[in-house]
Amino acid sequence: MLGAGSVIFGRCRRSAWLLCKRTQSHSFRRKLDIRGIYPPIATPFAQNELVDYQKLDENLEKYSKIPFRGLVVQGSNGEYPYLTAEERVEVVHRVRQRIPKDKLVIAGSGCESSMATVLMSEKMAQAGADAVLVVTPCFYRNRMDSRALIHHYTRVADASPVPVILYSVPGNTGLDLPVEAVLTLSQHDNIVGLKDSGGDITRIALIIHKTRKEAFQVLAGSAGFLLAAYSVGAVGGVCALANVLGHQVCQLEQLCLAGRWEEARELQYRLIEPNTAVTRKFGVAALKQAMEWSGYHGGVCRPPLQPLSEAELGQLRHDFSSQGWL
């Protein structure tokens, strides 16, 4: 009976903690400011394909010296679809332990079902995440219309102990979160913003314009259109390239905020080709290789992702060196 009582007590404590976190999140949501630059950090793997936590720690130490607002953990560049649920949570826990408390930890908690996403969001909050980033479910993309997505995100946000950030990344999911769904969801007390990786500046501008009366912020999902996003009212960016050129991406942010648009434009030009190389051209394998060149631990990808070919390595090096980054 003692064992059963302990289990019941443990469940009660967990329920009380979730209720407390959920109440705090919903009450103080409008004080959470997500403006700033975030690298969506890579997950280093050892040759045996297990997460290399020592190399992760070394990367985090270096990132802590860059003026990022925080880190996005277990996003697309973290190879989250290839990690177990336990690994996803443990990586977030490790990051929260290692970086300064004033840095936000935004954890990717998206799963295909609403129930699984609710459970993962709770686990990420327990691991120390300040907010969760929820990608659009996409396996049944033909049925993921506004009605389905509004239902999904509302259920997740109602249950989440921490604020929710919508995540639209059509390059990976084949699905754009519809503007009308974003506008409806922006009114939810526990949804604080959107990471838009599609690169359609007209769409981003429309969302920002239509949500100006809400406490709702938009983050650019790529360094390739960061200046353009700032020019229409975005408040920051989640930028893969910041894993490699963190100081430079933060410099672009500061130039935009200071209204020094000519200098910002020149820097933006120099970031476009390397950014394209580590995102839609060659993907995570290229990002990890560029990290290695820049003194970070990138390492191998977890299969079935493959390393770059010799030809791809040569093109990647050219895309960085031609802009003076190597």
Side-chain angles (χ1 to χ4, degrees), residues 6-314:
S6 297
V7 170
I8 293 171
F9 177 69
R11 288 175 178 171
C12 290
R13 287 186 62 188
R14 177 176 178 273
S15 297
W17 178 87
L18 288 172
L19 178 61
C20 179
K21 288 291 289 183
R22 193 172 296 128
T23 301
Q24 290 176 349
S25 172
H26 291 200
S27 298
F28 301 109
R29 165 260 186 179
R30 296 184 187 278
K31 294 184 180 179
L32 180 66
D33 187 349
I34 60 173
R35 72 183 65 232
I37 299 299
Y38 303 79
I41 64 171
T43 304
F45 297 108
Q47 289 299 323
N48 62 4
E49 299 182 21
L50 297 180
V51 177
D52 192 326
Y53 288 103
Q54 180 178 345
K55 289 184 177 179
L56 174 63
D57 289 347
E58 292 173 7
N59 284 347
L60 295 174
E61 183 177 355
K62 294 178 180 179
Y63 289 146
S64 294
K65 299 174 183 177
I66 300 175
F68 295 133
R69 179 65 183 92
L71 305 178
V72 168
V73 189
Q74 291 305 294
S76 302
N77 289 284
E79 297 174 69
Y80 82 87
Y82 295 166
L83 273 67
T84 66
E86 293 77 15
E87 286 174 324
R88 290 176 68 179
V89 175
E90 178 56 31
V91 170
V92 170
H93 178 65
R94 188 74 168 227
V95 171
R96 180 69 282 174
Q97 287 184 315
R98 294 299 191 273
I99 69 170
K101 296 300 182 184
D102 63 337
K103 303 280 189 182
L104 292 181
V105 172
I106 299 176
S109 67
C111 301
E112 280 300 303
S113 76
S114 300
M115 182 177 72
T117 304
V118 166
L119 293 174
M120 182 60 75
S121 298
E122 291 179 352
K123 290 178 181 178
M124 291 305 193
Q126 288 181 290
D130 298 292
V132 290
L133 182 70
V134 180
V135 70
T136 51
C138 62
F139 189 82
Y140 300 108
R141 67 175 56 86
N142 290 339
R143 298 297 297 166
M144 291 299 104
D145 56 12
S146 289
R147 182 171 67 97
L149 292 169
I150 289 170
H151 182 273
H152 172 71
Y153 280 108
T154 299
R155 180 173 171 184
V156 172
D158 283 346
S160 177
V162 293
V164 171
I165 301 169
L166 311 175
Y167 182 16
S168 182
V169 54
N172 288 356
T173 64
L175 178 68
D176 239 334
L177 185 55
V179 172
E180 59 268 25
V182 175
L183 300 185
T184 298
L185 292 166
S186 71
Q187 300 172 52
H188 193 289
D189 283 343
N190 202 34
I191 296 177
V192 297
L194 164 72
K195 176 195 173 187
D196 194 310
S197 297
D200 183 340
I201 293 300
T202 301
R203 166 191 157 90
I204 291 173
L206 180 62
I207 290 171
I208 292 169
H209 172 62
K210 293 287 188 178
T211 59
R212 285 189 298 178
K213 294 182 180 179
E214 307 296 334
F216 186 82
Q217 297 175 310
V218 175
L219 299 171
S222 173
F225 55 87
L226 187 59
L227 182 151
Y230 267 112
S231 74
V232 297
V235 301
V238 179
C239 306
L241 191 62
N243 283 289
V244 182
L245 300 175
H247 284 291
Q248 291 83 355
V249 176
C250 289
Q251 181 186 4
L252 179 56
E253 172 202 25
Q254 291 305 311
L255 290 172
C256 291
L257 293 176
R260 295 162 60 182
W261 295 109
E262 290 188 14
E263 294 170 77
R265 186 164 58 246
E266 291 304 314
L267 178 54
Q268 177 71 88
Y269 289 154
R270 296 179 61 209
L271 296 178
I272 291 173
E273 288 180 291
N275 179 77
T276 301
V278 301
T279 54
R280 67 173 181 266
K281 184 189 284 188
F282 299 128
V284 180
L287 175 65
K288 287 189 161 185
Q289 179 60 65
M291 289 173 64
E292 293 284 344
W293 289 338
S294 301
Y296 298 97
H297 297 296
V300 297
C301 294
R302 184 172 274 184
L305 284 179
Q306 294 294 296
L308 300 181
S309 67
E310 287 300 320
E312 290 169 334
L313 276 172

